[in-house]
């Protein structure tokens, strides 16, 4: 399953509205096939693994990161392909979160006499599928709030990205996240101050996330480096956006942040890397729309500067505590990750 999760990761940022899925076929202790879902409209992971295995799939065990599909979509159901190939055992990391689908794939496999195990490395799989799960159950992207601070909790006031705060390892990690998430968002304040490109740089085989600029009054300069064909600009409902549209921007009109996120969901953006600045991030945080936090902390003291979040004071007892916290050293810097909202598992449609 670890190999299957690695396979699935190759599809991150490329499969929406479909999930990233990986599949590994094992027979007699050897891997005989592997595959991942590369993009919506392309074959599913199981199909690639079965193709590679050929006749060796007969009697093999399949390790799949998400319950195989049992319904006819753009491609024939994988459950039928697994049964036809003679796979004798299917190990599933996590059930499909779609309440109309959940359990059916497993049920059909069992009805055909295939042994099925569910729940192997489930937490990692669910985490990897957070975007897909948020999109299908909530109709909005999974929001990952990323920021870099000094040890005294200050973000640099200026400077592209966080180059000034953290070292090369942290910067490379941010580029990997941009490669893996569907979209990257900033407020117009950051566009005006830093003119970021919001591209993926230095990642082999990398691709750029879709830039999203939160800009209620359409103040984004037409010369902004993040403004390219397909860039999403989120504005207030009645803002004149003709010049931005002429520049190729996709406009999402919304009166509220939850409405804006639903608009991004309709564009099939399943995950959003929220890169700031403080005003926009604080608005997301205040509305409970930050699902996951990735904080990069540099062992430096600045003494003055912007805090990553601001808002009305609250007592420590009311602080939002992260769950599933993980720590990692990145050269001199420390990465702290954790969840503020639960990743949807089964059901619970439309909670926004
Ligand atoms: N080191 C870091 O991690 C980092 C990262 C990013 C930025 N920064 C720094 O942060 C500074 C910019 O800060 P900032 O707070 O002005 O930038 P910001 O948060 O990127 O942009 C703020 C603007 O976003 C717009 N906005 C759109 N929808 C909004 C909503 N629902 N709620 C609130 N605002 C919304 C508002 O303008 P409208 O009202 O016109 O829509 C607001 O003025 C820069 O100096 C930059 O260098 C640092
Ligand atoms: Zn399938």
């Amino acid at each position: 399953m670890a190999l299957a999760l690695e396979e699935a990761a190759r599809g991150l940022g490329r499969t929406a509205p479909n999930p990233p899925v990986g599949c590994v076929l094992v027979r007699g202790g050897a891997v005989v096939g592997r595959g991942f879902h590369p993009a919506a409209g392309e074959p599913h992971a199981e199909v690639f693994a079965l193709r590679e295995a050929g006749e060796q799939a007969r009697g093999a065990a399949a390790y799949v990161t998400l319950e195989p599909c049992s319904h006819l979509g753009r491609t024939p159901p994988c459950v039928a392909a697994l049964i036809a190939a003679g796979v004798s055992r299917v190990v599933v990391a996590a059930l499909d979160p779609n309440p109309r689908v959940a359990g059916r794939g497993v049920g059909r496999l069992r009805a055909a006499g295939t042994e099925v195990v569910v729940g192997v490395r489930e937490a990692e799989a669910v985490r990897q599928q957070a975007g897909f799960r948020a999109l299908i159950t909530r109709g909005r992207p999974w929001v990952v709030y990323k920021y870099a601070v000094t040890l005294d909790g200050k973000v640099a006031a200026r400077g592209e990205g966080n180059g000034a705060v953290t070292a090369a390892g942290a910067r490379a990690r941010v580029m990997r996240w941009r490669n893996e998430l569907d979209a990257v968002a900033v407020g117009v304040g950051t566009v005006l101050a830093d003119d970021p490109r919001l591209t993926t740089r230095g990642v082999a085989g990398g691709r750029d996330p879709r830039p999203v600029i939160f800009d209620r009054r359409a103040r984004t300069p037409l010369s902004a480096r993040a403004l390219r064909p397909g860039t999403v600009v989120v504005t207030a409902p009645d803002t004149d956006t003709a010049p931005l549209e002429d520049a190729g921007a996709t406009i999402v009109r919304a009166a509220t942040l939850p409405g804006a996120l639903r608009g991004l969901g309709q564009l099939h953006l399943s995950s959003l890397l929220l890169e700031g600045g403080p005003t926009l991030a604080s608005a997301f945080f205040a509305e409970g729309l930050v699902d996951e936090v990735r904080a990069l902390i540099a062992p430096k003291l600045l003494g003055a500067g912007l805090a990553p979040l601001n808002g009305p004071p609250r007592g420590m007892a009311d602080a939002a505590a992260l769950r599933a916290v993980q720590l990692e050293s990145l050269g001199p810097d420390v990465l702290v990750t954790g969840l503020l909202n639960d990743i949807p598992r089964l059901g619970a449609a439309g909670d926004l």
Side-chain angles (χ1 to χ4, degrees):
M1 192 60 82
L3 287 178
L5 287 164
E6 272 176 30
E7 283 293 322
R10 299 170 65 183
L12 282 170
R14 289 138 175 90
T15 61
N18 288 355
V21 183
C23 176
V24 171
L25 291 167
V26 176
R27 188 184 179 198
V31 172
V32 294
R34 52 172 86 193
F36 70 100
H37 184 44
E42 296 285 320
H44 292 181
E46 297 91 324
V47 172
F48 286 108
L50 288 170
R51 273 185 201 164
E52 186 184 324
E55 265 311 299
Q56 302 219 74
R58 200 153 297 281
Y63 293 81
V64 199
T65 60
L66 184 69
E67 178 178 14
C69 63
S70 58
H71 56 287
L72 195 61
R74 274 180 276 200
T75 54
C78 292
V79 160
L82 290 165
I83 294 169
V87 169
S88 59
R89 184 163 181 262
V90 176
V91 183
V92 175
L95 293 179
D96 193 309
N98 185 341
R100 288 185 301 266
V101 182
R104 297 218 177 148
V106 165
R108 295 218 177 156
L109 286 167
R110 286 192 174 133
T114 311
E115 184 194 345
V116 182
V117 179
V118 180
V120 174
R121 301 188 80 141
E122 184 181 21
E124 287 154 88
V126 165
R127 189 103 180 218
Q128 191 180 56
Q129 299 154 7
F132 166 70
R133 290 169 178 275
L135 190 60
I136 201 161
T137 65
R138 297 172 176 160
R140 68 156 173 96
W142 178 255
V143 176
V144 177
Y145 169 41
K146 160 256 149 180
Y147 64 96
V149 284
T150 56
L151 209 47
D152 53 336
K154 303 295 197 294
V155 297
R158 293 188 73 87
E160 196 200 320
N162 298 297
V165 184
T166 51
R171 184 181 168 73
R173 184 61 63 95
V174 172
M175 288 299 156
R176 218 169 88 187
W177 296 337
R178 284 188 181 176
N179 177 46
E180 291 174 349
L181 276 78
D182 292 342
V184 56
V186 292
V188 66
T190 297
V191 171
L192 294 171
D194 299 340
D195 195 17
R197 280 176 280 182
L198 305 180
T199 53
T200 301
R201 299 184 290 280
V203 177
R207 106 290 172 244
D208 293 335
R210 190 123 179 230
V212 179
I213 303 171
F214 284 81
D215 179 12
R216 287 175 290 207
R217 289 169 283 159
R219 292 187 287 146
T220 298
L222 294 177
S223 60
R225 295 197 287 189
L227 185 63
R228 335 181 241 281
T231 293
V232 179
V233 181
V234 179
T235 71
D238 49 4
T239 301
D240 173 18
T241 54
L244 290 171
E245 287 174 69
D246 289 345
T250 302
I251 309 297
V252 167
R253 294 177 192 280
T256 64
L257 275 183
L261 288 179
R262 279 193 297 272
L264 298 179
Q266 282 163 7
L267 295 174
H268 290 170
L269 298 173
S270 73
S271 53
L272 184 71
L273 188 64
L274 176 61
E275 295 209 14
T279 306
L280 185 66
S282 298
F284 269 79
F285 177 64
E287 297 210 43
L289 295 171
V290 172
D291 296 313
E292 178 179 339
V293 174
R294 299 182 187 175
L296 296 155
I297 303 165
K300 298 173 183 172
L301 298 171
L302 198 57
L306 286 175
L309 293 175
N310 44 59
R314 43 166 143 181
M316 199 54 83
D318 298 324
L322 305 186
R323 296 185 293 277
V325 173
Q326 293 180 346
L327 302 182
E328 190 180 338
S329 291
L330 295 173
D333 304 316
V334 177
L335 167 63
V336 181
T337 61
L339 306 181
L340 284 178
N341 291 329
D342 291 328
I343 302 171
R345 292 193 172 223
L346 290 177
D351 63 350
L352 252 189

